[in-house]
Amino acid sequence: IAGELLKFATSDQLYRGSKPVMWSVVERTALAEAEIEYHDYESDTIWVKFPVQITRSEDLGGAHVVIWTTTPWTIPGNRAVAYSPRIEYGLYEVETVENDFGPRPGEKLIFAQRLAEDASAKAKLKLNLIRNVSAEELASIQLSHPFRDLGGGYDFAVPMLAGDHVTDDAGTGFVHTAPGHGREDFE
């Protein structure tokens, strides 16, 4: 075994890399991709606010980037939020709300402009567009994890990353990224 491994090493075929490894909490072992079977399951859709922690634009301080996901169990594994440089984004202020939970009047939220009206209707909010937000501004933002104030190791910065997979067909125009929950997010 050592001899064969040495052949790989001396011919530059051996390298150190990283990738997500699916783990069975029941069996306490790594799983091959062929061993992973997903059952059809329709989970709840959630909207999550990621607070802007660091920004060069003063008026984005205190704002929140809003994501929409159909995989709520992946939020604890979030490490980034993706946006698209091809989408127009806006900074909105919440004017009125119908619910006793969620965003409050005066809060500032960032959405894809094409999706803001639909998102606000679903969340039962009235939004007022303050201004456009450029891709350059989004690239310079660092967010806080939504669990930051809960403790437990969530006090790291969440970067904004440009992604070709982000669209403004549904949701908010932002995609939360949890690299420990699959190869696509990892890549």
Side-chain angles (χ1 to χ4, degrees):
I1 293 173
E4 291 302 311
L5 186 59
L6 188 57
K7 287 179 189 176
F8 280 110
T10 58
S11 63
D12 290 331
Q13 296 180 54
L14 185 66
Y15 67 93
R16 182 177 182 168
S18 62
K19 69 175 190 171
V21 176
M22 298 297 110
W23 183 261
S24 170
V25 294
V26 174
E27 302 296 329
R28 295 190 217 154
T29 186
L31 297 171
E33 286 189 33
E35 294 178 291
I36 300 170
E37 294 182 21
Y38 294 101
H39 298 286
D40 288 339
Y41 177 78
E42 190 171 323
S43 66
D44 293 328
T45 298
I46 62 170
W47 307 74
V48 182
K49 299 184 309 183
F50 283 75
V52 173
Q53 181 180 0
I54 297 172
T55 178
R56 289 185 279 185
S57 303
E58 190 173 311
D59 62 343
L60 295 181
H64 296 83
V65 168
V66 182
I67 67 95
W68 167 85
T69 183
T70 58
T71 57
W73 63 89
T74 62
I75 293 295
N78 176 277
R79 295 298 178 268
V81 172
Y83 66 94
S84 172
R86 296 181 307 276
I87 294 175
E88 293 180 357
Y89 293 93
L91 175 64
Y92 295 84
E93 183 172 356
V94 177
E95 284 187 8
T96 60
V97 299
E98 291 182 31
N99 296 316
D100 293 333
F101 57 87
R104 308 309 317 147
E107 280 191 62
K108 294 184 290 182
L109 307 174
I110 304 171
F111 287 99
Q113 289 188 24
R114 184 172 164 211
L115 297 168
E117 185 176 329
D118 184 53
S120 66
K122 288 178 180 174
K124 299 180 180 178
L125 308 171
K126 183 174 181 195
L127 298 175
N128 178 40
L129 177 64
I130 297 172
R131 69 172 181 86
N132 296 343
V133 178
S134 70
E136 292 78 23
E137 287 178 293
L138 293 174
S140 69
I141 289 174
Q142 286 189 12
L143 306 170
S144 295
H145 195 283
F147 293 169
R148 180 185 182 115
D149 294 336
L150 301 177
Y154 289 101
D155 57 348
F156 51 85
V158 175
M160 297 284 294
L161 305 174
D164 292 334
H165 64 295
V166 181
T167 68
D168 59 359
D169 296 333
T172 65
F174 295 104
V175 176
H176 109 87
T177 304
H181 287 280
R183 181 173 296 272
E184 293 82 11
D185 279 12
F186 181 80
E187 290 172 354

